[in-house]
Amino acid sequence: MSNTEIEIVVDDPTAPEADSPAVTSVRIVDVVASLLLLALALMLGWDNWRTGAAWDSTGPQAGYFPFYLSIILGGASLYGLVIAFLSRKEAAETFVTRAQLRRVMAVFVPMLLFCLAMQFLGLYVASFLLIAAFMRMVGRIALWKSLLTAFLFTAIMFVTFDIAFDVIMPKGPLEAAFGH
């Protein structure tokens, strides 16, 4: 026999606080996303019109299909704007709280720095730094474990891509110093 009245509760000590203040509402995010997509649709539409969005004697010009896709994207963006302004429910809903945004930024900022560092340090050094920093700061793992894991992963990635499969990956000054 089972008792359906029993509820299992699992607490996550790292979960964001429930009473964290709201940063933005669903309506604002919907409006901003729709406006950005509308701007993209207008830019693509103009560029494809300039390229040629008509049908000539040999068939469609280069911008024909992309132009009409940009019209569809623009229409969908306008529809999203109208729905966002007409919906009362979304105006009151919280999209993200301060605590949730802090957790998202804990991943987004290092990834952005990784992308920037890769341009100057190469893929392998930037990957080493990203993995070690994530394990240490986000995972709270011991420094020696973080450094060892980052080194082993980066070394395996180097052997796999550069040596075994001979794939050209972004290199930095350290790889150049070792002749790769």
Side-chain angles (χ1 to χ4, degrees):
M1 270 192 339
S2 67
N3 186 352
T4 58
E5 299 288 324
I6 297 175
E7 182 180 334
I8 299 173
V9 178
V10 179
D11 289 328
D12 180 6
T14 63
E17 307 88 40
D19 61 343
S20 181
V23 174
T24 188
S25 70
V26 173
R27 175 185 279 177
I28 291 173
V29 173
D30 283 349
V31 168
V32 169
S34 293
L35 287 173
L36 288 172
L37 286 173
L38 183 61
L40 178 66
L42 290 171
M43 181 184 68
L44 291 173
W46 175 81
D47 189 48
N48 287 305
W49 180 265
R50 186 184 54 79
T51 303
W55 196 276
D56 63 10
S57 62
T58 61
Q61 293 177 326
Y64 182 79
F65 291 111
F67 175 76
Y68 288 104
L69 288 175
S70 65
I71 288 176
I72 293 170
L73 179 62
S77 302
L78 290 173
Y79 176 77
L81 280 171
V82 169
I83 294 300
F85 283 117
L86 293 179
S87 176
R88 289 179 174 36
K89 179 183 159 210
E90 288 183 351
E93 283 185 50
T94 298
F95 180 74
V96 67
T97 64
R98 188 176 296 156
Q100 292 169 337
L101 186 62
R102 193 176 314 117
R103 290 180 76 162
V104 170
M105 287 297 131
V107 174
F108 176 73
V109 170
M111 290 304 296
L112 179 66
L113 293 174
F114 167 74
C115 292
L116 293 173
M118 190 171 44
Q119 303 302 313
F120 303 103
L121 302 176
L123 175 69
Y124 303 113
V125 174
S127 295
F128 173 82
L129 294 172
L130 176 73
I131 293 166
F134 256 101
M135 290 181 71
R136 183 72 182 136
M137 292 182 215
V138 177
R140 309 260 189 256
I141 296 174
L143 181 62
W144 73 271
K145 290 179 184 178
S146 301
L147 293 174
L148 180 63
T149 304
F151 177 76
L152 288 174
F153 178 80
T154 306
I156 291 169
M157 197 168 64
F158 177 78
V159 169
T160 302
F161 291 119
D162 267 52
I163 296 173
F165 294 121
D166 199 27
V167 177
I168 299 172
M169 297 300 228
K171 304 282 193 315
L174 184 64
E175 292 93 345
F178 286 116
H180 283 279

